[in-house]
Amino acid sequence: MPGPVNPVCLRFVQAMILVCFPGVNIMCSAASAEDVYMPIPADDWRLVTDNVMGGVSNGVLRRVQEDGKECIRLSGEVSTANNGGFIQMALDIDNPVAMKATAYDGIRVNVYGNAEQYNMHLRTQDLRLPWQAYRKTFSATATWQQIDLPFNSFMPYKTTARLNVDRLKRIGIVAIGREFSADICVGSLGFYRH
C-alpha cells in the first residue's frame, strides 16, 4: 500500500496540471493556497488635512468602539474651497516592516464606514513631493468588512516611479476630491498573501 502523499509534491503536480490544462479545476484541500497575514503595528495614526496648503477641510481622529470593535475613527468635512479637498489618517511605516512587504500580495484593512468612497495612499522613499502617491479607491460600507487591496492595483499619482513596496514609508486612509462628510473606522491593517 502506498504511503501518504507529500503535500509539496502534490502542489507541484497540481501546478503542472493547471499549466497544461488551464480549464481543469482541481479540488484538493492539501494543495489549496494558504492565506498568510502579517499585522502592521497601527497605534500611531495621525491626522493630516488640507489646512497645510491653505484648504479649509476639518477632521478629527479618535479611538472608539464601533459595533463592538475597537478602532481608529477619521471623521470630518471635506471641502474643496481654497484649492483644498482632503482629510487623512496617516501611518508611518518602519523600514524593517517595509522590507517584509515584498513577500506579500497587498494590504488588508478592516473598515467600517458611512457608505462613501475613500482612498488608500501609499508613499515610498522614492517620492519627494507631498502630493505624490500610489492610490487605490475603495468603499467603506456601514458594516465591518475586510478589504484586500493588491499592490499591483495601486495607481501612481503625479509620479512615473514604479511602486517599490520594500521602500514603503507611509500608508494613508484619505477622504478626498469632493465635498462630503467623512466617517470611517479602521479596525486593523496588515499585509496579506494568498
Side-chain angles (χ1 to χ4, degrees), residues 45-140:
W45 290 101
R46 60 190 171 84
L47 177 67
V48 181
T49 71
D50 58 17
N51 299 169
V52 297
M53 52 179 51
V56 296
S57 300
N58 64 75
V60 177
L61 197 59
R62 61 189 186 279
R63 189 174 296 277
V64 299
Q65 286 248 346
E66 184 58 61
D67 198 20
K69 190 174 206 170
E70 199 170 303
C71 57
I72 302 294
R73 168 175 267 152
L74 172 67
S75 58
E77 298 298 320
V78 180
S79 170
T80 57
N82 284 4
N83 296 316
F86 77 89
I87 60 174
Q88 173 180 196
M89 54 190 292
L91 179 68
D92 290 332
I93 303 298
D94 292 336
N95 197 47
V97 173
M99 292 296 289
K100 295 176 182 173
T102 56
Y104 295 86
D105 296 330
I107 296 177
R108 175 173 293 165
V109 60
N110 283 285
V111 294
Y112 186 105
N114 59 346
E116 293 283 358
Q117 288 198 327
Y118 296 88
N119 276 12
M120 180 176 285
H121 289 186
L122 305 182
R123 283 191 51 82
T124 69
Q125 298 170 36
D126 301 318
L127 304 180
R128 300 286 175 240
L129 302 173
W131 49 81
Q132 294 177 312
Y134 303 92
R135 297 179 170 191
K136 174 68 178 166
T137 301
F138 65 91
S139 294

